Amino acid sequence: MRTHKNLYPEIYSIKNLVLAWRKARKGKTQKDDVIEFEEKLVTNLRALHNELKFQTYEPLPLKTFILRDPKSRKISKSDFRDRIVHHALVRVIEPIFDKTFIYDSCANRKGKGNLFAIKRFYNFMRKVSKNGKTKGWFNNNQVKGYCFKADIKHYFQEVDHKILLSIIRRKIRDEKVIWLIERILENNVLDNPKGKGMPLGNLTSQFFANVYLNELDKFVKHKLRAKYYIRYVDDFVLINPSREKLLSWGGGDRGFFN
């Protein structure tokens, strides 16, 4: 397995921070913290560069609010300067991990998303029903295929930092990068237990979610040998012609996902 060292200078380079700033500001140019940062843009980017380079960087406290769309979710927002750091980190390490993800990990990836996941779902339905039309799932009242849908309860609140870091260390052998990731993870929601959880709303949380749940994806694909499986963040579905097979994977005391 290939590992990566000496990545940290790429993260704090001025060039990477400028590119990260452009990504972080996209669609948010009228926000107060963006305007304030950009009033002294060169000075602030240079300060971030030095804080990262000399490892004095400390993220500012999160701002938390409730979003209803339609169910209530607690969103914790990082300050704009910290969001630049998130983009700078992800720009460098995401390509390393993305190539290890399964094809049907659909969230927060280039060329993927909601529409991609829906198309894959209907494609899998057609394949399982052995019919060119999704209506083939019902023929003379006989079901041709079954779907197991689940999500991971309180996923973002329950992510274990030690486990996440151990997964990341399989690929990243630069301890300064690990240090930065730890700084970001430790800047957490106040009511989360120490060493657990990631705030909803951070780019890094979305990326780390895919890194963490890539272990689940590999288990489903390689251990269970499930052919028709799609995951979108902490929601996933399995499709199979056999109801019994899905129950053995996901239901009752025998289920892997019980």
Side-chain angles (χ1 to χ4, degrees), residues 159-190:
V159 168
D160 188 297
H161 295 178
K162 286 185 179 180
I163 294 174
L164 174 60
L165 288 167
S166 71
I167 295 168
I168 292 171
R169 278 193 166 99
R170 295 176 197 166
K171 286 287 186 182
I172 306 294
R173 294 301 177 95
D174 186 331
E175 284 303 314
K176 290 184 178 180
V177 176
I178 300 299
W179 169 86
L180 178 58
I181 293 171
E182 288 176 331
R183 294 286 79 72
I184 292 169
L185 289 173
E186 288 166 2
N187 190 36
N188 210 333
V189 183
L190 289 176

Short mmCIF file of all heavy atoms in Angstrom, two decimals, residues 159-190:
data_model
loop_
_atom_site.label_atom_id
_atom_site.label_comp_id
_atom_site.label_asym_id
_atom_site.label_seq_id
_atom_site.Cartn_x
_atom_site.Cartn_y
_atom_site.Cartn_z
N VAL A 159 -18.90 9.63 15.26
CA VAL A 159 -17.62 9.29 14.63
C VAL A 159 -16.51 9.31 15.68
O VAL A 159 -16.33 10.28 16.40
CB VAL A 159 -17.29 10.27 13.49
CG1 VAL A 159 -15.85 10.09 13.02
CG2 VAL A 159 -18.24 10.06 12.33
N ASP A 160 -15.75 8.22 15.75
CA ASP A 160 -14.66 8.09 16.71
C ASP A 160 -13.37 8.65 16.08
O ASP A 160 -12.91 8.14 15.07
CB ASP A 160 -14.49 6.62 17.09
CG ASP A 160 -13.50 6.42 18.22
OD1 ASP A 160 -12.31 6.75 18.04
OD2 ASP A 160 -13.91 5.91 19.28
N HIS A 161 -12.80 9.66 16.71
CA HIS A 161 -11.62 10.32 16.14
C HIS A 161 -10.43 9.37 16.03
O HIS A 161 -9.67 9.42 15.05
CB HIS A 161 -11.24 11.53 16.99
CG HIS A 161 -12.26 12.62 16.98
ND1 HIS A 161 -12.12 13.78 17.72
CD2 HIS A 161 -13.44 12.75 16.31
CE1 HIS A 161 -13.17 14.57 17.52
NE2 HIS A 161 -13.99 13.95 16.68
N LYS A 162 -10.24 8.52 17.02
CA LYS A 162 -9.09 7.59 16.99
C LYS A 162 -9.19 6.65 15.81
O LYS A 162 -8.19 6.36 15.13
CB LYS A 162 -9.01 6.81 18.31
CG LYS A 162 -8.51 7.63 19.48
CD LYS A 162 -8.35 6.75 20.72
CE LYS A 162 -7.81 7.56 21.90
NZ LYS A 162 -7.66 6.72 23.11
N ILE A 163 -10.40 6.14 15.58
CA ILE A 163 -10.59 5.22 14.45
C ILE A 163 -10.38 5.96 13.14
O ILE A 163 -9.70 5.46 12.23
CB ILE A 163 -12.00 4.59 14.51
CG1 ILE A 163 -12.13 3.68 15.73
CG2 ILE A 163 -12.29 3.80 13.22
CD1 ILE A 163 -13.52 3.13 15.96
N LEU A 164 -10.94 7.15 13.03
CA LEU A 164 -10.78 7.94 11.81
C LEU A 164 -9.30 8.22 11.54
O LEU A 164 -8.81 8.04 10.41
CB LEU A 164 -11.54 9.26 11.93
CG LEU A 164 -11.35 10.27 10.79
CD1 LEU A 164 -11.78 9.69 9.45
CD2 LEU A 164 -12.11 11.56 11.08
N LEU A 165 -8.57 8.64 12.56
CA LEU A 165 -7.15 8.94 12.39
C LEU A 165 -6.34 7.70 12.03
O LEU A 165 -5.38 7.78 11.25
CB LEU A 165 -6.59 9.61 13.65
CG LEU A 165 -7.06 11.04 13.89
CD1 LEU A 165 -6.73 11.50 15.31
CD2 LEU A 165 -6.44 12.00 12.89
N SER A 166 -6.73 6.56 12.59
CA SER A 166 -6.01 5.32 12.25
C SER A 166 -6.21 4.95 10.79
O SER A 166 -5.30 4.44 10.13
CB SER A 166 -6.46 4.17 13.17
OG SER A 166 -7.78 3.75 12.85
N ILE A 167 -7.42 5.23 10.26
CA ILE A 167 -7.69 4.98 8.84
C ILE A 167 -6.86 5.93 7.97
O ILE A 167 -6.25 5.53 6.98
CB ILE A 167 -9.20 5.14 8.54
CG1 ILE A 167 -10.01 4.07 9.27
CG2 ILE A 167 -9.46 5.06 7.03
CD1 ILE A 167 -11.51 4.32 9.26
N ILE A 168 -6.84 7.21 8.37
CA ILE A 168 -6.09 8.21 7.61
C ILE A 168 -4.60 7.89 7.60
O ILE A 168 -3.92 8.04 6.58
CB ILE A 168 -6.35 9.62 8.18
CG1 ILE A 168 -7.81 10.03 7.91
CG2 ILE A 168 -5.39 10.65 7.59
CD1 ILE A 168 -8.24 11.30 8.62
N ARG A 169 -4.09 7.41 8.73
CA ARG A 169 -2.65 7.11 8.84
C ARG A 169 -2.21 5.97 7.93
O ARG A 169 -1.01 5.83 7.66
CB ARG A 169 -2.30 6.79 10.29
CG ARG A 169 -2.08 8.02 11.16
CD ARG A 169 -1.43 7.64 12.49
NE ARG A 169 -0.92 8.79 13.19
CZ ARG A 169 -1.55 9.39 14.19
NH1 ARG A 169 -2.73 8.94 14.59
NH2 ARG A 169 -1.01 10.44 14.77
N ARG A 170 -3.14 5.17 7.46
CA ARG A 170 -2.76 4.12 6.52
C ARG A 170 -2.22 4.71 5.22
O ARG A 170 -1.42 4.08 4.53
CB ARG A 170 -3.97 3.23 6.19
CG ARG A 170 -4.50 2.43 7.36
CD ARG A 170 -5.74 1.68 6.92
NE ARG A 170 -6.53 1.22 8.05
CZ ARG A 170 -7.78 0.77 7.95
NH1 ARG A 170 -8.38 0.74 6.75
NH2 ARG A 170 -8.44 0.37 9.02
N LYS A 171 -2.67 5.91 4.90
CA LYS A 171 -2.26 6.56 3.66
C LYS A 171 -1.33 7.75 3.90
O LYS A 171 -0.46 8.04 3.07
CB LYS A 171 -3.50 7.06 2.90
CG LYS A 171 -4.30 5.96 2.22
CD LYS A 171 -3.56 5.45 1.01
CE LYS A 171 -4.37 4.46 0.21
NZ LYS A 171 -3.60 3.96 -0.94
N ILE A 172 -1.56 8.47 5.00
CA ILE A 172 -0.81 9.70 5.27
C ILE A 172 0.20 9.44 6.37
O ILE A 172 -0.17 9.16 7.52
CB ILE A 172 -1.75 10.85 5.69
CG1 ILE A 172 -2.86 11.06 4.65
CG2 ILE A 172 -0.96 12.12 5.93
CD1 ILE A 172 -2.40 11.53 3.31
N ARG A 173 1.48 9.54 6.03
CA ARG A 173 2.54 9.34 7.02
C ARG A 173 3.27 10.64 7.36
O ARG A 173 4.41 10.60 7.80
CB ARG A 173 3.53 8.29 6.48
CG ARG A 173 2.95 6.89 6.34
CD ARG A 173 2.43 6.36 7.66
NE ARG A 173 1.81 5.05 7.52
CZ ARG A 173 2.46 3.90 7.73
NH1 ARG A 173 3.74 3.91 8.04
NH2 ARG A 173 1.83 2.75 7.60
N ASP A 174 2.60 11.73 7.15
CA ASP A 174 3.13 13.05 7.48
C ASP A 174 2.45 13.49 8.78
O ASP A 174 1.26 13.82 8.79
CB ASP A 174 2.85 14.04 6.35
CG ASP A 174 3.50 15.40 6.57
OD1 ASP A 174 3.68 15.79 7.73
OD2 ASP A 174 3.81 16.07 5.57
N GLU A 175 3.21 13.49 9.89
CA GLU A 175 2.62 13.78 11.19
C GLU A 175 2.14 15.23 11.31
O GLU A 175 1.28 15.52 12.14
CB GLU A 175 3.61 13.46 12.31
CG GLU A 175 3.75 11.97 12.58
CD GLU A 175 2.41 11.30 12.92
OE1 GLU A 175 1.66 11.87 13.74
OE2 GLU A 175 2.12 10.24 12.35
N LYS A 176 2.67 16.12 10.51
CA LYS A 176 2.18 17.50 10.55
C LYS A 176 0.79 17.60 9.93
O LYS A 176 -0.03 18.40 10.38
CB LYS A 176 3.18 18.42 9.84
CG LYS A 176 4.48 18.60 10.62
CD LYS A 176 5.42 19.59 9.94
CE LYS A 176 6.68 19.78 10.76
NZ LYS A 176 7.63 20.74 10.14
N VAL A 177 0.53 16.80 8.92
CA VAL A 177 -0.83 16.74 8.36
C VAL A 177 -1.79 16.16 9.41
O VAL A 177 -2.90 16.67 9.59
CB VAL A 177 -0.87 15.90 7.07
CG1 VAL A 177 -2.30 15.77 6.56
CG2 VAL A 177 0.02 16.53 5.99
N ILE A 178 -1.35 15.11 10.09
CA ILE A 178 -2.18 14.53 11.15
C ILE A 178 -2.44 15.56 12.24
O ILE A 178 -3.56 15.66 12.76
CB ILE A 178 -1.49 13.28 11.74
CG1 ILE A 178 -1.26 12.21 10.66
CG2 ILE A 178 -2.31 12.71 12.90
CD1 ILE A 178 -2.53 11.70 10.00
N TRP A 179 -1.43 16.34 12.59
CA TRP A 179 -1.60 17.40 13.59
C TRP A 179 -2.71 18.37 13.17
O TRP A 179 -3.56 18.74 13.97
CB TRP A 179 -0.28 18.16 13.76
CG TRP A 179 -0.40 19.42 14.55
CD1 TRP A 179 -0.36 19.55 15.91
CD2 TRP A 179 -0.61 20.75 14.04
NE1 TRP A 179 -0.53 20.87 16.27
CE2 TRP A 179 -0.69 21.63 15.14
CE3 TRP A 179 -0.74 21.28 12.75
CZ2 TRP A 179 -0.88 22.99 14.99
CZ3 TRP A 179 -0.93 22.64 12.60
CH2 TRP A 179 -1.01 23.49 13.71
N LEU A 180 -2.70 18.78 11.90
CA LEU A 180 -3.72 19.72 11.42
C LEU A 180 -5.11 19.08 11.47
O LEU A 180 -6.09 19.73 11.88
CB LEU A 180 -3.39 20.17 10.00
CG LEU A 180 -4.40 21.12 9.35
CD1 LEU A 180 -4.58 22.39 10.17
CD2 LEU A 180 -3.98 21.46 7.92
N ILE A 181 -5.21 17.83 11.06
CA ILE A 181 -6.50 17.13 11.11
C ILE A 181 -7.01 17.06 12.55
O ILE A 181 -8.20 17.28 12.82
CB ILE A 181 -6.37 15.73 10.50
CG1 ILE A 181 -6.10 15.85 8.99
CG2 ILE A 181 -7.63 14.90 10.75
CD1 ILE A 181 -5.73 14.54 8.32
N GLU A 182 -6.11 16.80 13.49
CA GLU A 182 -6.51 16.75 14.90
C GLU A 182 -7.01 18.11 15.37
O GLU A 182 -8.00 18.18 16.12
CB GLU A 182 -5.33 16.30 15.76
CG GLU A 182 -5.00 14.83 15.60
CD GLU A 182 -3.76 14.42 16.39
OE1 GLU A 182 -2.87 15.27 16.58
OE2 GLU A 182 -3.68 13.25 16.81
N ARG A 183 -6.36 19.19 14.94
CA ARG A 183 -6.82 20.55 15.32
C ARG A 183 -8.25 20.76 14.83
O ARG A 183 -9.08 21.33 15.54
CB ARG A 183 -5.92 21.63 14.69
CG ARG A 183 -4.49 21.70 15.16
CD ARG A 183 -4.32 22.29 16.55
NE ARG A 183 -4.62 21.33 17.60
CZ ARG A 183 -3.85 20.28 17.91
NH1 ARG A 183 -2.74 20.07 17.27
NH2 ARG A 183 -4.20 19.46 18.87
N ILE A 184 -8.53 20.33 13.62
CA ILE A 184 -9.86 20.52 13.04
C ILE A 184 -10.89 19.66 13.76
O ILE A 184 -11.99 20.13 14.09
CB ILE A 184 -9.83 20.20 11.53
CG1 ILE A 184 -8.98 21.25 10.79
CG2 ILE A 184 -11.24 20.15 10.95
CD1 ILE A 184 -8.67 20.90 9.35
N LEU A 185 -10.55 18.41 14.03
CA LEU A 185 -11.48 17.51 14.71
C LEU A 185 -11.78 17.97 16.14
O LEU A 185 -12.90 17.81 16.62
CB LEU A 185 -10.92 16.09 14.73
CG LEU A 185 -10.87 15.34 13.40
CD1 LEU A 185 -10.13 14.01 13.57
CD2 LEU A 185 -12.26 15.10 12.84
N GLU A 186 -10.77 18.51 16.81
CA GLU A 186 -10.95 18.94 18.20
C GLU A 186 -11.82 20.18 18.31
O GLU A 186 -12.38 20.46 19.38
CB GLU A 186 -9.58 19.19 18.85
CG GLU A 186 -8.81 17.90 19.11
CD GLU A 186 -7.34 18.17 19.43
OE1 GLU A 186 -6.94 19.36 19.47
OE2 GLU A 186 -6.59 17.19 19.61
N ASN A 187 -11.93 20.93 17.23
CA ASN A 187 -12.80 22.11 17.23
C ASN A 187 -14.22 21.65 16.95
O ASN A 187 -14.72 21.75 15.83
CB ASN A 187 -12.34 23.11 16.16
CG ASN A 187 -13.06 24.45 16.28
OD1 ASN A 187 -13.35 24.91 17.38
ND2 ASN A 187 -13.34 25.06 15.15
N ASN A 188 -14.86 21.15 17.99
CA ASN A 188 -16.10 20.39 17.82
C ASN A 188 -17.25 21.06 18.54
O ASN A 188 -17.08 22.06 19.24
CB ASN A 188 -15.88 18.96 18.35
CG ASN A 188 -16.74 17.95 17.62
OD1 ASN A 188 -17.79 18.26 17.09
ND2 ASN A 188 -16.28 16.71 17.58
N VAL A 189 -18.41 20.48 18.38
CA VAL A 189 -19.62 20.96 19.05
C VAL A 189 -19.47 20.70 20.55
O VAL A 189 -19.02 19.63 20.97
CB VAL A 189 -20.87 20.25 18.51
CG1 VAL A 189 -22.13 20.81 19.16
CG2 VAL A 189 -20.94 20.43 16.99
N LEU A 190 -19.85 21.68 21.37
CA LEU A 190 -19.59 21.62 22.81
C LEU A 190 -20.22 20.40 23.48
O LEU A 190 -19.65 19.83 24.40
CB LEU A 190 -20.09 22.91 23.47
CG LEU A 190 -19.27 24.17 23.18
CD1 LEU A 190 -19.94 25.38 23.82
CD2 LEU A 190 -17.85 24.02 23.68
#
